[in-house]
Each structure stands twice: as structure tokens, then as C-alpha cells.
Amino acid sequence: MSNIALAAVGQFCATSAIHLNKIACRDLIQQAARLGAKMIFLPEASDFISHTRQEAFQLTTSIDKSEFVLDLKDAAQKENIWISVGVHESAPTNKIYNSHIIIDNKGNLVNVYRKIHLFNVDIENGPRLMESDTTIQGQEIGTPLRTPIGKLGQQTCYDMRFPEASIALRNRGAEVLAFPSAFTIKTGMAHWETLLKARAIETQSYVIAAAQTGQHNEKRASYGHAIIVDPWGTVLAQCPEHDQPSIAIAKIDLEYMKKIRTEMPVMSHRRTDLYHSIE
């Protein structure tokens, strides 16, 4: 595997119409493949964003029966590209998993991460979003997955506010951290770029955050600004500030990452005699 590979990050505005979301994602996948990307990163809840809790349950299936996932598997194989994407997954209870899946360039589902931190907030003059009303939290941070752009640590959206998981993934070998997201506009304006740069700098890893963007329905809108950040905290690529589907492309250079880690070996400087090691 070459130490330099192109990655694409995407954004679009999902609705409850799964067939339209499939079309939007497929178009972004084709664009990324034409530009030479080895892997594309798509947002959280790319399969749908529902109007109501009841609609979410009605639209959710198991991953192996999901028409959305089946279509992306086909696209991955036809376009010879890996895909990271956030989807809903049925759980063995009356709730749902918020899952981040990886599909390889042969169309195989190779990993599933289930979001471990749920977004339960009631923002003054902003939205009230209680993810735990519909969703079960995952129970595993997971092990980084070898991909064409490097060893990938999977997380989702709100997980980025908890640095311990990112540090654990770095200690388990991650070179790239992915956060498919659907940030609110208010929190996005305040914290989106700052949080992602912080996770990149402290773990000395590439950070890729795909994003929902625009007005999904009368109750919900997302911030957008899908982004790729390098291990020094530099923004390498970012989608434009509009509601239309778009991608941004950047080189993932693992030799550059190794140079940063060698010249500033922060992980070996951690005082685990004074505070707990994060494994």
C-alpha cells in the first residue's frame, strides 16, 4: 500500500426519502472515484433523516436487508472505492443503533461501529434532540481497520467531544479518525472545526468528518462544512458552504504523519504514573 492516497469527504441533505438519498450518495461516490479517491466518507444518517420517531422505526432495517446499504455495496464494487457511511440499524429491542459502517471496494461490509456517546441536548433558542429516545448506545470503541488510506478508527458525530475514545484508537494503531456527522447549526458554528482540529492535533492523526447539511425537514437542519484535517491541525479540504451535495478531496500522507509523531512523540510523554493510561 502506498503511503499517499486520496480521500474524499462528502456532504448532502438527507430526507426521509431513502431512494433520493441513495441517488445523492451514489453521485458523490462516482465523483470521488473519477477524481481518483481510494475511499469516500459520507455523513451520519445518510440512509435517512426522519420527521418523527415513529417514522425512524418504520424506515430502519437490519444492515443486511437495507436497500440503501445494498445500493452502496454495488456502487463500491462498480467504482472500485471504499466507503465509510453512517446508517440506522435495527437493534434487538424497540430501539435503533446509530451505526458507522465500512464497505470495501469489492462491495463487502467489513466493519460496523455503533455510536457510543448519544446526543441528548436541549439547547436554549435551539433544537431539542434526545437521541436516546430512539437509539441504543454501542459498547465498543473498536480496533482500527486497515484501509487503502491507512488504519482507520471509526467514531460518529457527538463522539468527537470525548477525546478519550480518539486517544484509545490512536493507542490501538489508528492513523485516520472518521466522524460521520449531522451537527446542529448552532453547535457547528461554535465548535465543529475546533473539535476536529483538537482531535487531529492530540492524536497526531488525520481526521475526516463527513457532514449532513441544510434543511432536512421543518424540525431539523444541519451545519455541513465536511472537512479533512491533517495531523498538524491544518484544514486540507472542506466542502463549500451550501446545501447542495458536494465532495472535497485531500491527500492522506502517512509518511508526513509518521514524521510529526517522531518529532513530537506526545504519546510517549504521557504521565501515566499520574493519570490513567487510555488503552
Side-chain angles (χ1 to χ4, degrees):
M1 183 181 72
S2 171
N3 280 330
I4 300 179
L6 280 180
V9 66
Q11 68 180 29
F12 77 105
C13 184
T15 68
S16 59
I18 294 175
H19 67 288
L20 295 179
N21 301 332
K22 285 194 302 183
I23 291 169
C25 287
R26 190 135 194 166
D27 183 59
L28 295 178
I29 292 164
Q30 290 170 347
Q31 288 183 48
R34 284 198 298 268
L35 291 171
K38 296 297 184 183
M39 188 164 187
I40 182 170
F41 293 78
L42 297 170
E44 178 183 24
S46 282
D47 51 348
F48 66 84
I49 290 182
S50 63
H51 293 79
T52 65
R53 175 180 176 177
Q54 181 180 6
E55 185 180 43
F57 289 131
Q58 291 172 343
L59 294 174
T60 298
T61 66
S62 62
I63 289 176
D64 62 333
K65 293 181 180 178
S66 166
E67 62 174 283
F68 178 86
V69 174
L70 289 171
D71 196 70
L72 262 60
K73 285 182 173 182
D74 180 68
Q77 185 175 22
K78 287 183 176 175
E79 302 297 337
N80 191 31
I81 192 170
W82 284 55
I83 300 171
S84 154
V85 62
V87 298
H88 300 78
E89 177 191 2
S90 57
T93 65
N94 61 347
K95 291 191 177 181
I96 295 166
Y97 290 120
N98 184 341
S99 297
H100 173 184
I101 68 172
I102 305 297
I103 301 168
D104 70 13
N105 63 330
K106 304 300 182 184
N108 300 310
L109 177 69
V110 292
N111 206 44
V112 179
Y113 163 81
R114 292 163 177 159
K115 188 178 181 183
I116 62 174
H117 301 99
L118 300 185
F119 187 63
N120 288 338
V121 297
D122 191 353
I123 301 171
E124 185 177 359
N125 299 319
R128 179 183 184 275
L129 293 171
M130 302 298 290
E131 190 172 14
S132 62
D133 286 349
T134 59
T135 305
I136 302 175
Q137 60 188 8
Q139 297 299 322
E140 296 182 4
I141 293 173
T143 302
L145 176 71
R146 189 176 296 276
T147 76
I149 66 166
K151 293 178 183 176
L152 177 69
Q154 293 167 250
Q155 299 185 68
T156 298
C157 199
Y158 191 52
D159 288 333
M160 73 177 70
R161 292 186 180 272
F162 304 90
E164 294 86 353
S166 293
I167 293 169
L169 286 166
R170 159 73 201 271
N171 284 332
R172 296 176 187 186
E175 297 165 324
V176 182
L177 301 174
F179 297 89
S181 299
F183 248 56
T184 69
I185 292 172
K186 186 169 184 177
T187 57
M189 290 175 67
H191 300 149
W192 172 254
E193 193 167 311
T194 301
L195 285 167
L196 294 166
K197 285 181 174 181
R199 299 296 81 82
I201 293 166
E202 71 200 1
T203 65
Q204 299 172 309
S205 303
Y206 284 90
V207 165
I208 304 177
Q212 292 283 351
T213 187
Q215 193 75 41
H216 307 288
N217 53 51
E218 64 278 5
K219 296 179 180 178
R220 186 167 174 185
S222 294
Y223 179 64
H225 296 77
I227 194 171
I228 300 176
V229 184
D230 79 8
W232 194 248
T234 302
V235 175
L236 298 181
Q238 191 165 26
C239 288
E241 190 171 347
H242 58 59
D243 296 351
Q244 298 304 308
S246 61
I247 61 169
I249 299 281
K251 290 180 181 177
I252 306 301
D253 185 345
L254 298 183
E255 288 302 320
Y256 174 66
M257 179 209 70
K258 290 174 185 176
K259 181 174 184 290
I260 289 173
R261 292 181 176 186
T262 299
E263 293 178 353
M264 191 180 292
V266 294
M267 289 300 167
S268 64
H269 294 161
R270 296 181 72 84
R271 291 293 306 275
T272 52
D273 57 323
L274 301 179
Y275 47 76
H276 289 299
S277 175
I278 301 173
E279 303 297 337

